[in-house]
Amino acid sequence: MRLGVLVSGRGSNLEAILDAIADGRLAGARAVLVISNRAGVRALDVATSRQVPTAVLERAAYPTRAARDRAIGAALTRAGVEVAVLAGYDELLRQAYFEAYRGRTINIHPSLLPAHGGRGMVGLAVHDSVLAAGDLETGVTIHEVTPELDSGPMIAQRRVPVVPGDTAERLAERVLAEEHRLLVETVAGIAAQG
Ligand code: GRF
């Protein structure tokens, strides 16, 4: 299965995928392209150090958002990507993306969607929102990506308890560890389905 990964920053979920491909847990998948919407981010170094081709498609290089999103979709299509993983990709993909790329796109989100999803729910804001709500558990959601933010059909969810004394940072760390596991398991499951 030919994987594309879209990133914007740290790239730890990308790293988890590439580690699993390298050590055989994700033997059925190959990462053929990493696309970032930002130059100079760590995720690009992660890809380059593993010899995975990269492309940077910044908004400023295109006349409109739609043109940029179409270019992302077209790059995935040219690379023969079958499954695109949004692994910390921080922008909404417009309709033009879905017109240019007909494969499957999945996203990982650090909460139990639909709770703590949608506009502004990125980074520590997600975990601050969980703590402010007094939730006793949070978790990870992997879902299909559709043109509406964080609302495509769910593929997998994993729970993470909130414990007394949690800060957003501590919660983020425990949720992220679970993200890495669930993402690898889910991509392996999709690869196994063929
Ligand atoms: C993760 O928490 C992911 O769920 C969210 O953005 C974060 C990206 O982290 N969409 P990384 O870049 O994979 O380290």
Side-chain angles (χ1 to χ4, degrees), residues 9-14 86-89 107-110 123 176 179-180:
R10 179 178 54 190
S12 72
N13 278 289
L14 168 65
L86 307 190
Y89 185 75
N107 179 48
I108 182 157
H109 184 83
L176 189 65
E179 286 188 47
H180 297 160

Side-chain angles (χ1 to χ4, degrees), residues 15-154:
E15 216 166 6
I17 290 174
L18 297 180
D19 283 349
I21 290 173
D23 71 18
R25 279 174 295 143
L26 246 180
R30 185 149 77 95
V32 296
L33 181 61
V34 169
I35 296 179
S36 176
N37 59 342
R38 302 180 196 288
V41 295
R42 179 179 175 273
L44 288 167
D45 298 334
V46 168
T48 304
S49 69
R50 315 290 188 94
Q51 285 82 46
V52 179
T54 59
V56 176
L57 284 85
E58 289 180 295
R59 166 67 186 88
Y62 295 86
T64 61
R65 276 183 191 284
R68 197 276 309 273
D69 288 359
R70 186 178 305 284
I72 292 176
L76 294 174
T77 299
R78 273 198 307 276
V81 169
E82 299 165 271
V83 175
V85 181
L86 307 190
Y89 185 75
D90 64 4
E91 286 186 75
L92 187 61
L93 288 163
R94 305 306 198 278
Q95 188 58 42
Y97 166 86
F98 298 92
E99 288 164 9
Y101 165 68
R102 303 283 182 178
R104 199 165 168 185
T105 302
I106 67 173
N107 179 48
I108 182 157
H109 184 83
S111 76
L112 297 173
L113 291 175
H116 314 292
R119 226 167 223 298
M121 283 295 117
V122 291
L124 287 180
V126 178
H127 308 291
D128 278 331
S129 170
V130 169
L131 293 174
D135 293 355
L136 297 178
E137 61 177 11
T138 181
V140 180
T141 302
I142 296 177
H143 63 95
E144 304 283 349
V145 177
T146 61
E148 284 78 45
L149 183 60
D150 288 344
S151 61
M154 195 205 301

